[in-house]
Amino acid sequence: MSKTILVTGAGRGLGRTLAEQLTARGDKVIAHARSESALDGVPHDRKLVVDLAEPAAIADAVAALGLERLDGVIHNAGIAHIGLIADQPLEHWERTLAINVTAPAELTRVLLPALRAARGHVVFVNSGAGLSAGPKWSSYAASKHALKALADALRGEEQPNGVRVTSVYPSHFATDMQRSVREQYDADYDPSRATSPESIAQTIIGLLDTPEDMVVNELRIEPPNPLPIRARN
């Protein structure tokens, strides 16, 4: 049966791959991006255009969709600033927390009536940094730790309503963000030693298809032979 799935950050990378794979199998995709042009060439049934850096705008944007039922939302959008705490300005912290934490919380809140009606599934694309933080990862890791807390709280709150919640922790997969992180870290990047977006997307879609009598609360994903993120000497 066809499902209706909202994918954030659908303009590129994993989000775009998710939109392509979901559409190819017959699902209806609500594709999110911060601009209309970002969705050029992205297969979708409807679109949600809103800047997640401005969470106050989310409620009105979602209301315009008129959703009564929603089978799933995949919180994929995110940003990463890599640097020493001593060097990261306030703007980096505010923007990272707004996009990576506050926006998913607000978007989930306004979508809950539609998710409850469909006994839907909320998937948070987290990160290995959401479980352990190292030097230069402070703002990004803090946001991902907070995203884990959001998912854990939501899971407990929505169990009586039939809404399932999964946190996915992919590590070292081939996206523009991974390239950007390694550039900021002055580290080497080898896409052949990273998991492909297609594999990650396939796994996430598989989570949406789990039987109704089970839920995968957390899932860690990493390539068999990842290239460590280490600054060049």
Side-chain angles (χ1 to χ4, degrees):
M1 182 180 296
S2 175
K3 296 180 179 180
T4 299
I5 309 295
L6 192 156
V7 180
T8 69
R12 62 180 183 173
L14 177 60
R16 188 184 189 102
T17 303
L18 282 162
E20 291 170 348
Q21 290 191 9
L22 288 166
T23 299
R25 75 179 204 152
D27 290 331
K28 296 180 179 179
V29 173
I30 303 173
H32 159 267
R34 63 178 178 177
S35 68
E36 297 263 355
S37 61
L39 294 174
D40 288 347
V42 177
H44 60 275
D45 182 68
R46 283 183 282 178
K47 54 192 170 187
L48 174 66
V49 178
V50 64
D51 188 349
L52 299 184
E54 302 293 339
I58 290 174
D60 287 344
V62 170
L65 293 173
L67 292 174
E68 294 184 358
R69 295 175 59 87
L70 183 66
D71 295 294
V73 54
I74 303 173
H75 290 290
N76 163 73
I79 62 168
H81 292 292
I82 307 302
L84 299 172
I85 294 173
D87 297 333
Q88 289 209 53
L90 177 61
E91 177 188 359
H92 282 185
W93 282 91
E94 291 179 334
R95 183 171 176 80
T96 299
L97 293 171
I99 293 174
N100 292 3
V101 186
T102 308
E106 174 65 358
L107 182 56
T108 301
R109 182 186 71 82
V110 297
L111 290 173
L112 272 176
L115 287 163
R116 289 168 177 167
R119 297 179 68 85
H121 201 146
V122 182
V123 178
F124 293 94
V125 180
N126 203 297
S127 165
L131 299 171
S132 178
K136 297 188 177 181
W137 288 93
S138 58
S139 61
Y140 180 67
S143 73
K144 290 300 187 177
H145 275 68
L147 192 67
K148 179 186 186 301
L150 170 62
D152 291 346
L154 181 70
R155 184 179 302 113
E157 293 170 4
E158 291 301 317
Q159 280 179 341
N161 298 316
V163 175
R164 296 184 287 180
V165 179
T166 301
S167 288
V168 180
Y169 301 89
S171 175
H172 303 290
F173 69 107
T175 64
D176 290 342
M177 179 180 284
Q178 181 70 203
R179 293 184 185 91
S180 173
V181 164
R182 288 174 183 269
E183 287 172 1
Q184 294 179 67
Y185 217 94
D186 192 28
D188 292 325
Y189 174 61
D190 182 356
S192 70
R193 293 175 65 178
T195 306
S196 71
E198 290 76 17
S199 293
I200 301 291
Q202 182 179 348
T203 300
I204 290 173
I205 291 171
L207 292 170
L208 298 175
D209 291 339
T210 52
E212 292 186 1
D213 63 351
M214 64 169 282
V215 59
V216 178
N217 292 336
E218 296 185 328
L219 180 65
R220 296 191 66 177
I221 304 169
E222 59 183 29
N225 183 29
L227 181 65
I229 300 179
R230 296 195 184 103
R232 300 181 184 95
N233 293 326

